[in-house]
Amino acid sequence: MTSLKNLYMKYLSLILSIFLWSSVSLTAAEGNTKTETFKVYGNCGMCKRTIEKAASAIQGVKSADWNMETDMMTVTYNTMVVTLDDIKKGIAASGYDTDTVRATDESYSKLHGCCQYDRPKS
């Protein structure tokens, strides 16, 4: 009986340790989450899908939402995994200029005709 009780206590201790460790890890990850808003130039619903897809594909990005009316992008990301500049570079690589990172002429020219927005002066 004592052996069974010892085994039960070890099992319970292991379960509690795992639970505690996962709680601490989750809290630490949430502490590194940041939400930022910045300008991304575009025109239409197709732009919205492409811009949000480009941002969301970057490891560490938790959410991405581009507002067509205001050209403002809101991203939530893990600062331990990715920087805001990396996110902007990923969006620019898909052909869209941001407030601080300009897409290459080559990537911009690959955009569908309706998505070729009036580019800001460099």
Side-chain angles (χ1 to χ4, degrees), residues 48-87:
K48 178 176 176 62
R49 285 188 300 278
T50 305
I51 292 166
E52 290 175 356
K53 183 178 178 183
S56 296
I58 299 168
Q59 186 175 5
V61 173
K62 296 178 181 284
S63 67
D65 180 56
W66 182 70
N67 184 308
M68 246 175 18
E69 284 76 39
T70 63
D71 286 342
M72 296 305 287
M73 177 71 162
T74 301
V75 292
T76 301
Y77 62 99
N78 183 328
T79 60
M80 297 297 289
V81 178
V82 68
T83 66
L84 183 60
D85 194 50
D86 290 335
I87 297 168

